Amino acid sequence: MFAYILRRLALIPLTLFGIIALNFAIVQMAPGGPVERALAQIKGMTLDASGSLSSGGDMARSTTSNTGLYRGAQGLDPAFVKEIEKQFGFDKPPLERFMLMVRNYLSFDLGQSFYRTIDVGDLIVEKMPVSISIGLWSTLIIYLISIPLGIAKAVRDGSRFDVGTSYIVVIGYAVPSFMFAIMLIVVFAGGSYLNWFPLRGLTSDNWASLSMWGKVTDYLWHLILPVTAMTIGGFASLTMLTKNCFLDEINKQYVLTAKAKGLTRNQVLYGHVFRNAMLLVIAGFPATLVATLFSGSLLIEVIFSLDGLGLLGYQAILDRDYPVVFGTLYLFSLIGLVLNLISDLTYHMVDPRIDFEARAA
């Protein structure tokens, strides 16, 4: 197992390099970079998400500049355009910029945001509590729902209850969480029917003046809709994993032996089957948390205007704030790779029969 850990650790830098290199190359081909955005703002034009310029005048129809590089630079002094390039670091060729970024990332220097006077690392730390809060609550509730439901489906395998709940599980698996979020907003947040819950943020405007109990209830009140959307969109896989783990254990010989000794169903289920079947479910907690934090919460934060990492990354892409885009990508990828390794090790610790080293060989 030690050799497997060393191989996985050695692959992490290579994987990170590949992820960053691929995304850097894609960004170079995308229209509307930070220099072009700055030039458009100087000339009173706007740059939409696709990189197209728009304005009320004829100037918006200019698609080439006198430098031949940037749309919207027509009529500007080339020396001024060069100064803007230097300001954003685009006076260097792409390969040199990429190697400089990689060298800085080795020392965890994520650079500074183009449009905010703050380091990217500090910005991520500032936004992280919101995403962690949503991710932890969602993961906790997903486990609290999925484990009892999976056990109930396993002991009633093939019954009407099992078939009926399977429809719910299929819907939860097929429909993405952001669709549930939109439905919840329409129904419960003043969209078309009820106005029971707030639409934006994690706290009210008067949160600072509330009592301690008022702050707690206000925080939970704001959490209900986003956490509900993420829970509905994420419980299906864990429910089926729990059911299959219990079915696998229930059909083993030691269960038949325990029943033959006169033990009740609950004694067999919770005294013998439960601790064996739950090993893989509990070991999968790191992977579930990673998926919830770094992928599931992205659109949820955007939809509910939650000032977390998902909204930060989305806004950085719109603003062409490349240091924030690549800094969050680097950090998320590194955390994800490390937690995936921890997840594999946890699987092996709870069940030594799972030998990743033997599979790799």
Side-chain angles (χ1 to χ4, degrees):
M1 195 64 184
F2 183 70
Y4 172 76
I5 296 174
L6 289 180
R7 284 199 301 270
R8 286 290 298 271
L9 290 176
L11 283 174
I12 287 178
L14 296 176
T15 306
L16 278 176
F17 182 84
I19 292 172
I20 296 297
L22 178 62
N23 284 272
F24 185 87
I26 292 174
V27 164
Q28 302 311 304
M29 295 182 289
V35 175
E36 192 164 1
R37 187 178 185 86
L39 295 175
Q41 291 174 346
I42 290 171
K43 300 190 70 174
M45 294 181 286
T46 59
L47 192 70
D48 60 25
S50 64
S52 300
L53 295 172
S54 60
S55 177
D58 294 337
M59 194 178 297
R61 291 191 287 272
S62 299
T63 56
T64 58
S65 67
N66 55 347
T67 64
L69 294 176
Y70 305 109
R71 291 173 293 177
Q74 185 175 3
L76 294 178
D77 186 356
F80 177 74
V81 175
K82 293 292 184 183
E83 190 66 28
I84 297 294
E85 286 182 331
K86 185 177 181 181
Q87 177 183 343
F88 289 102
F90 278 71
D91 55 328
K92 303 178 180 66
L95 181 60
E96 184 178 347
R97 296 202 313 270
F98 175 72
M99 298 309 298
L100 178 63
M101 182 177 67
V102 171
R103 186 179 65 186
N104 291 336
Y105 281 3
L106 291 176
S107 60
F108 287 93
D109 179 8
L110 304 182
Q112 191 174 45
S113 169
F114 282 159
Y115 306 107
R116 313 183 193 196
T117 57
I118 185 173
D119 290 336
V120 174
D122 296 335
L123 189 60
I124 292 174
V125 171
E126 177 186 323
K127 306 298 183 183
M128 190 171 287
V130 173
S131 296
I132 292 178
S133 177
I134 299 172
L136 288 178
W137 277 110
S138 300
T139 304
L140 175 62
I141 295 175
I142 286 173
Y143 268 77
L144 290 176
I145 292 175
S146 299
I147 292 175
L149 181 58
I151 295 173
K153 287 175 66 63
V155 298
R156 298 174 177 84
D157 185 39
S159 66
R160 290 183 178 180
F161 173 82
D162 181 39
V163 174
T165 53
S166 293
Y167 288 110
I168 300 175
V169 170
V170 169
I171 293 173
Y173 186 81
V175 181
S177 57
F178 72 88
M179 289 297 297
F180 287 117
I182 295 173
M183 291 169 56
L184 291 173
I185 289 174
V186 171
V187 177
F188 297 108
S192 299
Y193 301 97
L194 305 175
N195 192 16
W196 289 355
F197 299 100
L199 180 60
R200 302 168 62 88
L202 277 184
T203 57
S204 300
D205 294 336
N206 63 336
W207 190 80
S209 62
L210 298 175
S211 63
M212 179 59 67
W213 176 248
K215 290 180 179 180
V216 172
T217 54
D218 182 73
Y219 167 73
L220 295 177
W221 183 46
H222 283 75
L223 270 180
I224 289 177
L225 290 189
V227 170
T228 299
M230 293 186 65
T231 301
I232 296 175
F235 81 101
S237 298
L238 186 59
T239 299
M240 296 309 299
L241 174 63
T242 304
K243 176 188 175 182
N244 292 332
C245 287
F246 271 82
L247 282 177
D248 184 55
E249 293 296 324
I250 288 172
N251 293 324
K252 288 184 177 179
Q253 185 64 40
Y254 76 89
V255 175
L256 298 177
T257 303
K259 289 180 179 179
K261 289 181 178 180
L263 297 180
T264 64
R265 188 182 72 169
N266 286 340
Q267 287 176 327
V268 174
L269 184 63
Y270 296 105
H272 299 276
V273 175
F274 185 83
R275 57 186 176 184
N276 293 327
M278 285 302 297
L279 291 178
L280 292 180
V281 177
I282 295 174
F285 181 83
T288 303
L289 183 59
V290 168
T292 304
L293 283 176
F294 301 140
S295 58
S297 64
L298 173 60
L299 290 176
I300 297 297
E301 289 184 15
V302 174
I303 291 172
F304 288 99
S305 299
L306 302 174
D307 196 14
L309 296 175
L311 185 61
L312 172 66
Y314 174 76
Q315 192 62 49
I317 292 173
L318 293 182
D319 293 339
R320 309 304 197 268
D321 197 344
Y322 291 162
V324 176
V325 173
F326 289 116
T328 53
L329 175 67
Y330 170 74
L331 195 61
F332 290 174
S333 300
L334 177 60
I335 295 174
L337 290 170
V338 172
L339 287 180
N340 281 332
L341 175 58
I342 294 174
S343 179
D344 288 348
L345 297 179
T346 308
Y347 277 120
H348 178 75
M349 285 188 293
V350 300
D351 190 350
R353 295 172 299 176
I354 302 176
D355 191 349
F356 293 101
E357 188 171 357
R359 292 185 180 184

